[in-house]
């Protein structure tokens, strides 16, 4: 019985990055032997155990065989005869198929160290094509490692395209797509994930509302990058920069301009009313992937209101108040900060504008704070009841916004 450190812990050490969870593979053992040694069994589909002291996961070396379409159609085989190389062969990418023994020696049968040095994301074997989740994992890994210079090997991209053409992504369940998408949105360069999914054809299958943005022109005086798909990618990366690890902000960036794909051809490159027409495809996307309610609500606010925030200086105090109320900003004040930040990402996610200031952001927060300083308790203290409280609140908050504008 011999244990090897595998996967991300080895990869990240070789990349000089802080290690995450440490996973181990055990060769030459049986489940009974693991239990006798004090390990706690936790695996449901295959033998996984927790170390009695460190509580780190130790999985028995195993192989897998495809038995049905999709990512669930696998039969796993684990026993003492399975070798380390056989276990590593079933992994997705060469950079994840490196093991390290107790003495620090590396076992690297598929050239993972070489690909780390070359900054290449490459599949281990043709078995990659048996699991459509690996397309999503490739996108997520690229979003994580693109800032380090990683690219996808041409043969891996070709294989991903073949998988899409064969209909493998059609078997992905909504919950798993959302899970992987959310993780990609938390990465430092989420645009790389969307770009890879677009290049291999998976985006058109999974997120057609987003895929349709590529090739749609915008007015160059406002969008020097012109292409709406490219703009969306730039906004996503700006969100990752201004709100690192915030998948909610990344989702708002991803979906804020969906309406531009619906603009009639004769109106291009203008996009009149796209902030309203984008709500319907956004709701469809959220329903399809069972997106959490808070994500769906905030993304819809950003989609609907982002042009209003860009022209905040032109809005009357009454309009500002009603915008805040429409966003539920009095009951959920955090939404106004989220809206301001998302709009800043939109403005700065454009060619040549990444370092620009965004005055409407802090201004919106100031006006919101002034209105929030007026409370229903003040109306009650003045002896008001029922509907009169709401009427008084609106007028008083509008006056507070006016005063803030004059200051």
């Amino acid at each position: 019985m011999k244990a090897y450190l595998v996967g991300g812990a080895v990869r990240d050490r070789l990349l000089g990055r802080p290690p995450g969870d440490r996973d181990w593979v055990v060769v030459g053992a049986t489940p009974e032997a693991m239990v006798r040694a004090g390990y706690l069994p936790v695996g449901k589909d295959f033998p996984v155990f927790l170390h009695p002291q460190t509580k780190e996961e130790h999985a028995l070396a195993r192989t897998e065989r495809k038995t049905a379409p999709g990512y669930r159609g696998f039969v796993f085989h684990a026993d003492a005869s399975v070798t380390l190389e056989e276990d590593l062969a079933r992994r997705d990418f060469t950079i994840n198929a490196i093991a390290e023994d107790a003495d620090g020696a590396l076992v690297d049968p598929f050239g993972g160290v070489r690909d780390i040095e070359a900054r290449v994301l490459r599949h281990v074997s043709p078995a990659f094509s048996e699991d459509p989740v690996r397309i999503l994992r490739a996108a997520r890994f690229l979003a994580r490692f693109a800032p380090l210079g990683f690219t996808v090997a041409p043969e891996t991209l070709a294989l991903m395209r073949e998988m899409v053409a064969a209909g493998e992504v059609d078997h992905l369940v909504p919950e798993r797509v959302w899970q992987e998408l959310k993780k990609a949105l938390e990465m430092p360069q989420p645009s790389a994930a969307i770009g890879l999914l677009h290049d291999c054809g998976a985006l058109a299958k999974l997120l057609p509302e987003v895929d349709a943005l590529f090739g749609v022109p915008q007015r160059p005086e406002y969008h020097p990058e012109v292409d709406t798909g490219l703009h969306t990618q730039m906004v996503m990366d700006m969100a990752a920069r201004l709100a690192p690890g915030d998948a909610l902000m990344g989702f708002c960036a991803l979906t804020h301009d969906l309406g531009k794909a619906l603009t009639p051809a004769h109106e291009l490159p203008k996009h009149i009313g796209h902030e309203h027409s984008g709500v319907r495809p956004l709701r469809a996307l959220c329903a399809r992937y069972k997106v959490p309610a808070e994500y769906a609500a905030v993304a819809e606010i950003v989609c609907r209101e982002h042009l209003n925030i860009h022209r905040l200086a032109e809005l009357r105090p009454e309009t500002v108040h009603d915008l805040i109320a429409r966003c539920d900003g009095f009951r959920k004040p955090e939404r106004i900060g989220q809206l301001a930040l998302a709009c800043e990402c939109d403005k700065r996610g454009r060619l040549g504008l990444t370092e620009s200031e965004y005055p409407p952001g802090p201004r919106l927060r100031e006006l919101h704070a002034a209105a929030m300083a007026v409370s229903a308790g003040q109306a009650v203290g003045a002896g008001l009841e029922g509907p009169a409280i709401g009427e008084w609140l609106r007028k008083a908050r509008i006056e507070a916004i006016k005063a803030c504008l004059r200051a």
Side-chain angles (χ1 to χ4, degrees):
M1 179 169 126
K2 191 171 183 179
Y4 295 85
L5 187 64
V6 294
V10 180
R11 177 199 66 221
D12 290 343
R13 182 181 67 78
L14 294 173
L15 283 168
R17 296 167 65 88
D21 294 336
R22 287 157 49 95
D23 295 317
W24 301 79
V25 63
V26 181
V27 178
T30 63
E32 295 75 19
M34 296 292 286
V35 171
R36 285 197 302 269
Y39 287 80
L40 178 66
V42 293
K44 293 181 180 179
D45 298 323
F46 40 80
V48 178
F49 303 83
L50 298 183
H51 189 281
Q53 279 80 48
T54 66
K55 305 305 179 186
E56 292 174 340
E57 285 194 359
H58 286 61
L60 295 190
R62 65 185 187 269
T63 59
E64 59 189 33
R65 179 169 55 88
K66 180 86 165 177
T67 58
Y71 73 96
R72 289 176 169 169
F74 289 91
V75 171
F76 296 96
H77 171 69
D79 65 31
S81 68
V82 177
T83 67
L84 177 62
E85 288 74 13
E86 287 174 326
D87 181 273
L88 295 176
R90 68 177 178 79
R91 297 174 185 268
D92 47 13
F93 304 106
T94 60
I95 65 171
N96 296 331
I98 309 169
E100 181 180 314
D101 68 15
D103 299 321
L106 298 179
V107 180
D108 181 25
F110 304 104
V113 173
R114 177 196 61 219
D115 284 341
I116 285 176
E117 293 170 349
R119 298 299 195 253
V120 173
L121 197 62
R122 190 191 317 275
H123 64 284
V124 170
S125 77
F128 180 95
S129 65
E130 297 176 350
D131 185 356
V133 171
R134 288 177 168 176
I135 292 177
L136 300 175
R137 281 172 58 81
R140 171 160 60 90
F141 275 116
L142 194 61
R144 180 178 180 184
F145 293 127
L148 301 181
F150 272 80
T151 59
V152 175
E155 62 268 30
T156 299
L157 178 57
L159 184 57
M160 291 168 64
R161 287 172 174 161
E162 292 173 10
M163 293 169 66
V164 173
E168 276 289 330
V169 296
D170 300 335
H171 298 285
L172 290 168
V173 298
E175 292 84 356
R176 192 59 189 271
V177 175
W178 170 250
Q179 180 185 37
E180 292 293 331
L181 175 62
K182 180 176 180 292
K183 289 177 181 177
L185 293 173
E186 294 168 351
M187 296 297 144
Q189 194 174 325
S191 67
I194 295 303
L196 179 59
L197 293 175
H198 175 65
D199 289 345
C200 76
L203 194 65
K205 294 259 190 175
L206 299 173
L207 297 171
E209 302 89 349
V210 176
D211 191 73
L213 297 174
F214 286 89
V216 175
Q218 302 165 109
R219 294 173 65 180
E221 62 267 38
Y222 298 116
H223 288 275
E225 70 286 351
V226 179
D227 187 276
T228 307
L230 176 57
H231 167 61
T232 298
Q233 289 180 290
M234 294 180 72
V235 177
M236 293 173 70
D237 286 350
M238 185 57 65
R241 173 180 161 185
L242 299 182
D246 188 338
L248 171 57
M249 197 53 50
F251 185 67
C252 293
L254 175 69
T255 58
H256 79 286
D257 263 352
L258 294 183
K260 288 183 177 178
L262 303 176
T263 299
H266 69 272
E267 292 183 7
L268 295 173
K270 294 182 178 180
H271 293 278
I272 301 168
H274 75 274
E275 69 277 22
H276 300 297
S277 60
V279 170
R280 181 176 58 81
L282 171 59
R283 288 177 177 174
L285 188 160
C286 290
R288 187 165 70 252
Y289 290 116
K290 302 175 183 177
V291 173
E294 187 66 10
Y295 280 69
V298 177
E300 184 168 326
I301 288 169
V302 172
C303 177
R304 187 185 67 232
E305 305 292 351
H306 66 278
L307 289 191
N308 285 328
I309 305 307
H310 292 336
R311 61 185 187 93
L312 183 66
E314 305 169 18
L315 302 186
R316 297 180 298 115
E318 294 84 355
T319 306
V320 173
H321 171 277
D322 293 348
L323 186 156
I324 294 171
R326 211 163 45 239
C327 298
D328 207 9
F330 294 116
R331 282 197 323 121
K332 299 181 178 180
E334 70 279 1
R335 288 193 172 173
I336 301 305
Q338 292 165 335
L339 173 61
L341 181 56
C343 291
E344 180 176 356
C345 294
D346 176 32
K347 189 68 173 182
R348 294 174 61 181
R350 310 181 191 202
L351 200 62
L353 296 179
T354 56
E355 305 306 318
S356 61
E357 297 291 325
Y358 186 66
R363 192 56 163 162
L364 177 62
R365 293 183 179 94
E366 291 172 358
L367 298 175
H368 178 234
M372 284 291 293
V374 180
S375 70
Q378 294 169 295
V380 174
L384 299 176
E385 298 178 354
I389 294 176
E391 295 170 7
W392 182 89
L393 262 181
R394 184 174 187 274
K395 291 178 182 178
R397 283 171 170 166
I398 290 171
E399 287 303 316
I401 291 171
K402 286 181 181 178
C404 184
L405 289 169
R406 289 194 298 266

